[in-house]
Amino acid sequence: ISNHLVDDCGFTGVNILNASGVSAGQSVPHFHIHLIARKEDDGVDAWPKFNGSKLSLEHVLDQIKM
């Protein structure tokens, strides 16, 4: 689908977005993805600025270790 949007529909890029869980912005509890067809300077903010984690990599590693 992404290739079709770029190759055949005149878009120059595609964002693929999945939100899993309420804290990630998911409002409907099932798996779904969003395909956001993009063009240069389209004004869509599908990738908001992220100033980096407030946690150290070591702390995150300790939290996610199995």
Side-chain angles (χ1 to χ4, degrees):
I1 294 171
S2 295
N3 287 342
H4 171 67
L5 290 169
V6 172
D7 296 342
D8 304 317
C9 298
F11 294 97
T12 57
V14 177
N15 287 106
I16 300 174
L17 174 69
N18 167 254
S20 182
V22 174
S23 59
Q26 182 181 26
S27 60
V28 179
H30 66 277
F31 176 77
H32 63 278
I33 59 172
H34 301 262
L35 298 176
I36 306 169
R38 303 294 304 275
K39 290 188 177 181
E40 291 287 324
D41 300 318
D42 60 13
V44 174
D45 187 12
W47 198 263
K49 184 174 180 169
F50 177 64
N51 291 321
S53 176
K54 295 181 173 91
L55 305 172
S56 71
L57 289 177
E58 292 80 13
H59 178 78
V60 173
L61 177 61
D62 286 342
Q63 294 293 311
I64 64 174
K65 276 186 194 174
M66 295 179 89

